Amino acid sequence: GLGIPAEPLFRSRSDKVKFCPFPDCEGYAEKKDKNKYVKCNFGHEFCYECGNAPHGKKKCEDIKKNK
């Protein structure tokens, strides 16, 4: 298991925790600083704001338009 049950963590910190957007991953990531890129507890890195793979200096809005 993950060591920590995810549900209580989400209830207490729902504004700073998101489920991993990767297919078949049940991981979650917690935003700890101003960096918008986070890694879930299984090591998948993604943009906390839009849920896409890290996109460098491009804005989240620009990534969504290209999908």
Side-chain angles (χ1 to χ4, degrees):
L2 303 175
I4 310 170
E7 288 304 318
L9 180 67
F10 279 96
R11 277 199 288 276
S12 63
R13 300 181 185 160
S14 60
D15 60 327
K16 300 213 181 221
V17 179
K18 285 191 178 180
F19 279 109
C20 180
F22 278 69
D24 300 322
C25 183
E26 296 179 3
Y28 58 89
E30 183 175 4
K31 186 164 173 63
K32 296 178 180 165
D33 54 33
K34 292 185 180 188
N35 186 354
K36 66 180 178 179
Y37 301 124
V38 295
K39 280 187 181 177
C40 80
N41 51 319
F42 290 102
H44 300 123
E45 190 172 10
F46 62 96
C47 176
Y48 188 84
E49 293 177 17
C50 69
N52 289 298
H55 45 82
K57 297 187 183 212
K58 289 186 180 178
K59 293 181 180 175
C60 297
E61 298 82 41
D62 296 336
I63 299 302
K64 289 178 185 176
K65 288 177 193 170
N66 294 331
K67 275 192 149 188

